[in-house]
Amino acid sequence: QRLERPPHHPGAQKTDQAIQVLKRGIELSPINGFFHKALALQYIHQKNYPKALESMKLHLALFPEDSFMRNLIQQVEASSRPQ
């Protein structure tokens, strides 16, 4: 279950705005790797790990040579498995 920030948290609105801008950037330039990586980082900042993982996988589908992202996905998946 994802932890929600209180609506009055000063960074919550800026993070939400950043996510909207990055999503729009992906719509306009879907093969721009920066937008996918930055979106994943924003989701991580929100502790929304399922969405972060989704963004990372989309990035890797576009850029399969990105070994950093591949390793990061493996780490996230390994850490989210039940012990």
Side-chain angles (χ1 to χ4, degrees):
Q1 187 175 20
R2 188 166 91 90
L3 297 175
E4 295 291 332
R5 264 190 238 161
H8 63 277
H9 185 279
Q13 185 176 5
K14 288 188 185 229
T15 300
D16 291 341
Q17 288 173 344
I19 287 172
Q20 293 310 312
V21 168
L22 291 166
K23 285 181 172 181
R24 181 68 177 143
I26 290 170
E27 287 175 14
L28 296 173
S29 183
I31 59 170
N32 185 324
F34 168 80
F35 293 129
H36 292 281
K37 278 187 177 180
L39 183 59
L41 291 174
Q42 289 299 318
Y43 283 133
I44 289 168
H45 182 71
Q46 282 190 326
K47 297 185 181 359
N48 187 341
Y49 301 119
K51 286 280 190 184
L53 191 58
E54 179 183 323
S55 293
M56 289 187 283
K57 286 181 176 181
L58 284 172
H59 173 84
L60 192 61
L62 293 169
F63 304 98
E65 72 282 359
D66 190 337
S67 60
F68 172 80
M69 190 62 71
R70 186 175 17 274
N71 290 335
L72 187 58
I73 289 169
Q74 289 172 350
Q75 289 175 15
V76 169
E77 288 178 333
S79 68
S80 64
R81 288 188 197 120
Q83 299 296 326

